[in-house]
Amino acid sequence: MASPVTRIGSPTSDVSRLVMRGRAVLTDVLGKKTFTEAFYFIVTGNDIEPSKLPVMDACMIVLMDHGITPTAIVARLIADSLPGQAQIGIAAGTMMIGEKFVGTMTGMGSLLLEGVASGKEPRVWARETVENAAKLKRRLPGFGHPYYHPTDPRTLRLMEIAREHGVNGPYIALVHVLSEELDRVSGKHLTLNVTGALGALLCELGFPAAAMRGLAVVSRAAGLVAHTIEEAGNPVSPAFMEFAGEIEYRDPE
Amino acid sequence: MASPVTRIGSPTSDVSRLVMRGRAVLTDVLGKKTFTEAFYFIVTGNDIEPSKLPVMDACMIVLMDHGITPTAIVARLIADSLPGQAQIGIAAGTMMIGEKFVGTMTGMGSLLLEGVASGKEPRVWARETVENAAKLKRRLPGFGHPYYHPTDPRTLRLMEIAREHGVNGPYIALVHVLSEELDRVSGKHLTLNVTGALGALLCELGFPAAAMRGLAVVSRAAGLVAHTIEEAGNPVSPAFMEFAGEIEYRDPE
Amino acid sequence: MASPVTRIGSPTSDVSRLVMRGRAVLTDVLGKKTFTEAFYFIVTGNDIEPSKLPVMDACMIVLMDHGITPTAIVARLIADSLPGQAQIGIAAGTMMIGEKFVGTMTGMGSLLLEGVASGKEPRVWARETVENAAKLKRRLPGFGHPYYHPTDPRTLRLMEIAREHGVNGPYIALVHVLSEELDRVSGKHLTLNVTGALGALLCELGFPAAAMRGLAVVSRAAGLVAHTIEEAGNPVSPAFMEFAGEIEYRDPE
Amino acid sequence: MASPVTRIGSPTSDVSRLVMRGRAVLTDVLGKKTFTEAFYFIVTGNDIEPSKLPVMDACMIVLMDHGITPTAIVARLIADSLPGQAQIGIAAGTMMIGEKFVGTMTGMGSLLLEGVASGKEPRVWARETVENAAKLKRRLPGFGHPYYHPTDPRTLRLMEIAREHGVNGPYIALVHVLSEELDRVSGKHLTLNVTGALGALLCELGFPAAAMRGLAVVSRAAGLVAHTIEEAGNPVSPAFMEFAGEIEYRDPE
């Protein structure tokens, strides 16, 4: 077997240097880059264009919190059961970033990359994509929301921030065409939700689709830090346990 | 039982607003704050002073990566076993941020907060603290490193960045006194490692000790996103499995 | 919303009884059932037929261990990093029971249930299934093994144990027909591996397909307890870290 | 570094044999041992005495379920968010087996092993232990229960099963003396709870203290399989989310 190689960073045991993707961490990253820049850099190996940085920051903030969501419940219950191991609750909460919650960015990102790479006329591609999904009875990622209808205000705001910073390319154009075709084929309006918008925006920023769910992990982890801290002083866990205790047990039918 | 309350953010179901700690997310956070500012804000409820922001960014970057560490091995092996569920490997890697790796920041932070709050003369407090730990045969958090001796270059660089930005208060002073007393009592030099330095710096920034391990989770999650992406295209898992396969099995003695 | 109901067990807060699926735990389960019987009972709500119990036990043991597998590496590295929290390493190891390792039992179980329920002549159904998978370029779950060829000795032994205990129904018959048709269509022999065999056997026992991956979690967790104990006294983690430290870091191309 | 060695089982790559702690898995374990026997064997390297097996089974069943506990809530919420990855919810639920819930068996086991090994007169040792804990303001593991008072019926039943099978040694004697001394010193009765009883019984069975929390993982994982299956067909998650949505958000004070 060929020896494995990594291009992320130098090993701990190499005390002569501390390198991240070819850059000296101590002098060229620390004190020079913001966290968001460093995250973009370690994932892509490239510096983000300074004009696009505020868009990247917005993309990383928008999923940080939405109150006592299932991810927050899980993080808080686990924090309550493992005092002194704060990292476990936070981590377990972020594991829920899958197909159902938030994790659909990767799906939307891949779809749009495919669409643009296909070279097809956007409306043609969008129609085919929507019809194909309908035939396979598959939902398109990034559309629909249980509460926001007809629009997700986070989508509108992210798109506005993108425009303000000159981020306005083929992926954003394509996601809107896709949305129109989806409405046409399904005969009703489906909200382009925040993860759909993020799929398009992150493609514009050159952030890889495969890393989009990871970006959501970083973002939500930040919010869950706040929830686990609050739980320690002002817990919601007892209320959930009381609520659980009231769920009726029934013998087999 | 009193009804539980949260002060982190408004619930998903409340479509009339999207609030984070009293601030409108869409207009006052998105497009206005960097990720680091938003993280500081959601955890503490306060805005970080602009002059201190670069120090906070440096604190959040320094733990992002250190090559193929145990956290990276775990993240990569799990990513390899669950393609399509990138969040699980990243999250599982961050669960390892405990007493042994990185998670000691919280211990150091608490210690320094206690020391400053005690009102004792720093050297007196440091001596007592060191002697107490020696008596209980407990290691002080944040000292010692398997590779960096006599100094951890990340500690030096972080301290330099702090000075450049005017962050220079009692916690930083105290950690150095503590280091001196520790050396005196133990009769040998112990490195003030990066997590020890972070404990002191984050106290200066007003970041709570209980959230420091959480900050490490966010930071390392960012690095693990890069590792899981690399694993998909350029895996190290097969080499680890081959290495594991060569570990000798022996019958009972 | 209708109030939720559970039929698994009575709540902790109900001190007047301790019931599991209609049975008094203290008098009708504890001291009366083996762990395997209780597991079968809590999952299915039915008592396993005594004659089939040894087959169920064999199914639960066969995946318990296979040396220093990726699940064991993960469990041991995490146990090493979180001494005192043994449950985290064990749990994280079991999270890897997915499509790649072991978790394919559920896929095979579902497939066979579908096949028998279809009422089709077995060979016709098998041929259609294999051809369909080939057309979609999808692998059938439960076939192929990196080391065992042409047969997986665990499959043979499990089938033998089943025969000895009179477990010999349509699912076992169907899995063998499926195996033959797969070989015919693919033009080469693919091993019916242990998870393929388990899919068939557990269907025979009336154990639901959706719970098969869960059975693997229970089984492997048992093995990982042994690994984490061994790690504490006789660690492999340092060797893995040393091996990781030798993975070459390279600057970007 | 000395090459690492394992004494648990032979590696997957060694197709010539399949060995678990010196025993051939295919012929000497599969079809010969129950799951409980195999678990005891892989952890300890010894065969459990047949007369004691029903006690071990009871110890492994008693923690399997207690209705919609926090572990079940977490498992079910995660199962709901990751359909198709049943192992994640089950595993995350078992991570909560720590100091607060269930995980105290290890503490009690270690304490009793220490007590018997000390060679001290039981009552003397118990008094010292209780007084020491009182001085350090530490709770003794295995005592107290939020609902069961003055006795935990599971403790009584487990002790009865032990007696029926001749399991009746120094650890059981010592835990009762410890209970009496604890009541005397604290001036009130504290329930010897089920994890306290398990600590004593598992010591009698020769099951190592360090593996007791692991036993609880295996046991609870079995119960959580049932909960995740029920969740798929008859979910409680929507009710928890609705309840969470009603938790009031308040602006900063």
Side-chain angles (χ1 to χ4, degrees):
Chain A
M1 186 185 300
S3 287
V5 161
T6 183
R7 293 180 183 277
I8 310 287
S10 57
T12 314
S13 57
D14 183 351
V15 297
S16 69
R17 58 177 183 170
L18 182 47
V19 182
M20 181 191 283
R21 290 198 176 275
R23 220 66 69 75
V25 173
L26 298 178
T27 53
D28 297 344
V29 182
L30 280 182
K32 299 289 165 60
K33 284 186 181 297
T34 69
F35 177 78
T36 301
E37 288 175 305
F39 176 48
Y40 186 94
F41 176 66
I42 200 171
V43 171
T44 66
N46 302 315
D47 295 311
I48 191 167
E49 289 175 46
S51 69
K52 294 181 173 173
L53 180 56
V55 182
M56 181 72 184
D57 271 305
C59 289
M60 289 185 65
I61 291 170
V62 73
L63 297 174
M64 200 180 269
D65 186 61
H66 221 151
I68 312 283
T69 53
T71 57
I73 303 172
V74 163
R76 294 175 80 131
L77 285 172
I78 296 183
D80 175 71
S81 76
L82 298 176
Q85 304 292 331
Q87 77 282 8
I88 306 295
I90 299 165
T94 64
M95 286 185 176
M96 299 166 80
I97 296 172
E99 285 74 26
K100 187 163 174 182
F101 300 121
V102 176
T104 43
M105 295 147 72
T106 290
M108 175 60 100
S110 305
L111 197 62
L112 297 174
L113 286 166
E114 223 179 273
V116 169
S118 75
K120 290 185 184 170
E121 203 278 314
R123 199 154 299 271
V124 171
W125 174 84
R127 196 171 311 152
E128 285 174 13
T129 300
V130 167
E131 285 169 354
N132 230 337
K135 211 165 15 176
L136 298 168
K137 293 182 187 193
R138 254 195 254 160
R139 290 185 47 182
L140 283 183
F143 290 100
H145 195 275
Y147 295 108
Y148 290 131
H149 195 80
T151 54
D152 184 331
R154 299 167 297 177
T155 294
L156 299 182
R157 179 62 181 133
L158 285 177
M159 292 294 182
E160 184 182 55
I161 292 170
R163 265 196 315 279
E164 284 170 18
H165 295 277
V167 172
N168 191 16
Y171 303 100
I172 293 177
L174 192 57
V175 83
H176 289 302
V177 174
L178 187 65
S179 176
E180 287 165 20
E181 290 302 310
L182 178 60
D183 285 4
R184 209 186 43 77
V185 169
S186 57
K188 62 175 176 182
H189 175 61
L190 279 158
T191 303
L192 174 61
N193 65 37
V194 67
T195 61
L198 283 167
L201 288 175
L202 290 168
C203 282
E204 296 291 349
L205 299 177
F207 195 80
M212 289 180 190
R213 200 180 272 193
L215 178 145
V217 169
V218 174
S219 176
R220 185 51 61 91
L224 294 178
V225 176
H227 279 284
T228 55
I229 298 293
E230 186 179 69
E231 185 66 20
N234 190 24
V236 303
S237 290
F240 278 99
M241 288 187 234
E242 194 183 295
F243 180 75
E246 284 159 15
I247 292 175
E248 191 194 346
Y249 162 75
R250 279 197 206 144
D251 278 344
E253 284 172 310
Chain B
M1 185 186 299
S3 287
V5 161
T6 183
R7 293 180 184 277
I8 310 285
S10 58
T12 315
S13 57
D14 183 350
V15 297
S16 70
R17 58 176 182 169
L18 182 47
V19 182
M20 180 192 283
R21 292 199 175 274
R23 221 65 70 76
V25 171
L26 297 178
T27 54
D28 298 344
V29 181
L30 280 182
K32 299 290 165 57
K33 285 186 182 296
T34 69
F35 178 78
T36 301
E37 288 175 305
F39 176 48
Y40 185 95
F41 177 66
I42 200 171
V43 170
T44 67
N46 303 313
D47 294 312
I48 192 168
E49 290 175 47
S51 69
K52 294 182 173 174
L53 181 56
V55 181
M56 181 72 183
D57 271 305
C59 288
M60 289 185 65
I61 291 170
V62 73
L63 297 174
M64 201 179 268
D65 185 60
H66 221 151
I68 311 282
T69 53
T71 58
I73 303 172
V74 163
R76 294 175 80 132
L77 285 171
I78 297 183
D80 175 72
S81 77
L82 299 176
Q85 302 294 331
Q87 78 281 7
I88 306 295
I90 299 165
T94 65
M95 287 186 175
M96 299 166 79
I97 296 173
E99 285 73 26
K100 188 162 172 182
F101 300 122
V102 175
T104 43
M105 294 148 72
T106 290
M108 175 61 101
S110 305
L111 197 63
L112 296 174
L113 286 166
E114 224 179 273
V116 169
S118 75
K120 291 187 184 167
E121 203 278 314
R123 199 154 299 269
V124 171
W125 173 84
R127 197 170 312 153
E128 285 174 13
T129 300
V130 167
E131 285 168 354
N132 230 337
K135 211 165 18 177
L136 298 167
K137 292 181 190 197
R138 253 195 253 160
R139 289 185 47 181
L140 284 183
F143 290 99
H145 195 275
Y147 296 108
Y148 289 132
H149 195 81
T151 54
D152 184 332
R154 299 167 297 176
T155 294
L156 300 183
R157 178 64 181 132
L158 285 177
M159 291 295 180
E160 184 182 55
I161 292 170
R163 266 196 314 277
E164 284 169 18
H165 294 277
V167 172
N168 191 16
Y171 302 100
I172 292 177
L174 194 56
V175 83
H176 288 302
V177 174
L178 187 65
S179 177
E180 287 163 20
E181 290 302 309
L182 178 60
D183 284 3
R184 210 186 42 75
V185 169
S186 57
K188 62 175 176 181
H189 176 62
L190 279 158
T191 303
L192 174 62
N193 64 38
V194 67
T195 61
L198 284 168
L201 289 175
L202 290 168
C203 282
E204 295 291 348
L205 300 178
F207 195 80
M212 289 179 189
R213 201 180 271 193
L215 178 145
V217 169
V218 174
S219 176
R220 185 52 59 92
L224 294 179
V225 176
H227 280 284
T228 54
I229 298 294
E230 186 179 68
E231 185 66 18
N234 190 24
V236 302
S237 291
F240 278 99
M241 288 187 234
E242 195 184 294
F243 179 75
E246 285 160 14
I247 292 175
E248 191 194 345
Y249 162 75
R250 280 197 206 144
D251 278 345
E253 286 171 311
Chain C
M1 185 187 298
S3 288
V5 161
T6 183
R7 292 180 184 278
I8 310 285
S10 58
T12 315
S13 56
D14 183 351
V15 298
S16 70
R17 58 177 182 169
L18 181 48
V19 182
M20 180 192 283
R21 292 198 175 275
R23 221 65 70 77
V25 172
L26 298 178
T27 54
D28 298 344
V29 182
L30 280 182
K32 299 289 166 59
K33 285 186 181 297
T34 69
F35 178 79
T36 300
E37 287 175 306
F39 176 48
Y40 186 94
F41 177 66
I42 200 171
V43 170
T44 66
N46 302 314
D47 294 311
I48 191 167
E49 289 175 47
S51 69
K52 294 181 173 175
L53 181 56
V55 182
M56 181 71 183
D57 271 305
C59 289
M60 289 185 65
I61 291 170
V62 73
L63 297 175
M64 200 178 270
D65 186 60
H66 220 151
I68 312 282
T69 54
T71 59
I73 303 172
V74 162
R76 294 175 81 131
L77 285 171
I78 296 183
D80 174 72
S81 76
L82 299 175
Q85 303 293 331
Q87 78 282 8
I88 306 294
I90 298 164
T94 64
M95 286 185 176
M96 299 166 79
I97 296 172
E99 285 73 25
K100 187 163 173 182
F101 300 121
V102 175
T104 43
M105 295 147 71
T106 290
M108 175 61 100
S110 305
L111 198 63
L112 296 174
L113 286 166
E114 223 179 274
V116 169
S118 74
K120 291 186 183 169
E121 202 279 313
R123 199 153 299 270
V124 171
W125 173 84
R127 196 171 313 154
E128 286 174 11
T129 300
V130 167
E131 285 169 354
N132 232 336
K135 212 167 14 178
L136 298 168
K137 293 182 189 196
R138 253 194 255 161
R139 290 185 47 181
L140 284 183
F143 290 100
H145 196 275
Y147 296 107
Y148 291 131
H149 195 81
T151 54
D152 184 332
R154 299 167 298 176
T155 294
L156 299 182
R157 179 63 181 133
L158 285 176
M159 292 294 182
E160 183 183 58
I161 292 170
R163 265 196 315 277
E164 284 170 18
H165 294 277
V167 172
N168 191 16
Y171 303 100
I172 292 176
L174 193 56
V175 83
H176 288 303
V177 174
L178 187 64
S179 176
E180 288 164 17
E181 290 302 309
L182 178 60
D183 285 2
R184 210 188 40 76
V185 168
S186 57
K188 61 176 177 182
H189 176 61
L190 278 157
T191 303
L192 174 61
N193 64 39
V194 67
T195 61
L198 284 168
L201 288 176
L202 291 168
C203 282
E204 295 291 348
L205 300 178
F207 195 80
M212 290 180 188
R213 200 181 272 194
L215 178 144
V217 169
V218 174
S219 176
R220 185 53 59 94
L224 294 179
V225 175
H227 280 282
T228 55
I229 298 294
E230 186 179 68
E231 185 66 20
N234 189 24
V236 302
S237 291
F240 278 99
M241 288 186 234
E242 195 183 294
F243 180 74
E246 285 160 13
I247 292 175
E248 191 194 346
Y249 161 75
R250 279 197 208 145
D251 279 344
E253 285 172 312
Chain D
M1 185 185 296
S3 287
V5 161
T6 182
R7 292 180 182 279
I8 310 286
S10 58
T12 315
S13 56
D14 183 351
V15 297
S16 70
R17 57 177 183 171
L18 182 47
V19 182
M20 179 191 284
R21 291 197 175 275
R23 221 65 71 75
V25 172
L26 298 178
T27 54
D28 298 343
V29 182
L30 281 182
K32 300 289 165 60
K33 286 186 181 296
T34 69
F35 178 79
T36 300
E37 289 175 305
F39 176 48
Y40 185 94
F41 176 66
I42 200 171
V43 170
T44 67
N46 302 314
D47 294 312
I48 192 168
E49 290 175 45
S51 69
K52 293 180 173 175
L53 180 57
V55 182
M56 182 71 184
D57 271 306
C59 289
M60 288 185 65
I61 290 171
V62 74
L63 297 175
M64 199 180 269
D65 187 60
H66 221 152
I68 312 283
T69 54
T71 58
I73 303 172
V74 163
R76 293 175 81 130
L77 285 171
I78 296 183
D80 175 72
S81 76
L82 299 176
Q85 303 293 331
Q87 78 281 10
I88 307 293
I90 298 164
T94 64
M95 286 186 177
M96 299 166 78
I97 296 172
E99 286 73 26
K100 187 163 173 181
F101 300 121
V102 176
T104 43
M105 294 148 72
T106 290
M108 176 60 100
S110 305
L111 198 62
L112 297 174
L113 286 167
E114 223 179 273
V116 170
S118 75
K120 291 186 183 169
E121 202 279 313
R123 199 153 300 270
V124 172
W125 174 83
R127 197 170 312 153
E128 285 174 11
T129 299
V130 167
E131 285 169 354
N132 230 337
K135 214 168 9 178
L136 299 168
K137 291 181 190 195
R138 254 195 254 159
R139 291 185 46 182
L140 284 183
F143 290 100
H145 195 275
Y147 296 108
Y148 290 131
H149 195 82
T151 54
D152 184 332
R154 300 167 297 175
T155 294
L156 299 182
R157 179 63 180 131
L158 285 176
M159 292 295 181
E160 184 181 56
I161 292 170
R163 265 195 316 276
E164 284 169 19
H165 294 277
V167 172
N168 191 16
Y171 302 101
I172 293 178
L174 192 57
V175 82
H176 289 302
V177 174
L178 187 65
S179 177
E180 288 164 20
E181 290 302 309
L182 178 60
D183 285 4
R184 209 187 42 77
V185 168
S186 58
K188 61 176 178 182
H189 176 62
L190 279 158
T191 303
L192 174 62
N193 64 38
V194 67
T195 61
L198 284 167
L201 289 175
L202 290 168
C203 282
E204 295 292 348
L205 300 177
F207 195 80
M212 290 179 189
R213 200 179 271 193
L215 178 145
V217 169
V218 174
S219 176
R220 185 53 59 93
L224 294 178
V225 175
H227 279 283
T228 55
I229 297 293
E230 186 179 69
E231 184 67 20
N234 189 25
V236 303
S237 290
F240 278 98
M241 288 186 235
E242 194 183 296
F243 180 74
E246 285 160 13
I247 292 175
E248 191 194 345
Y249 162 75
R250 278 195 208 146
D251 278 344
E253 284 171 311

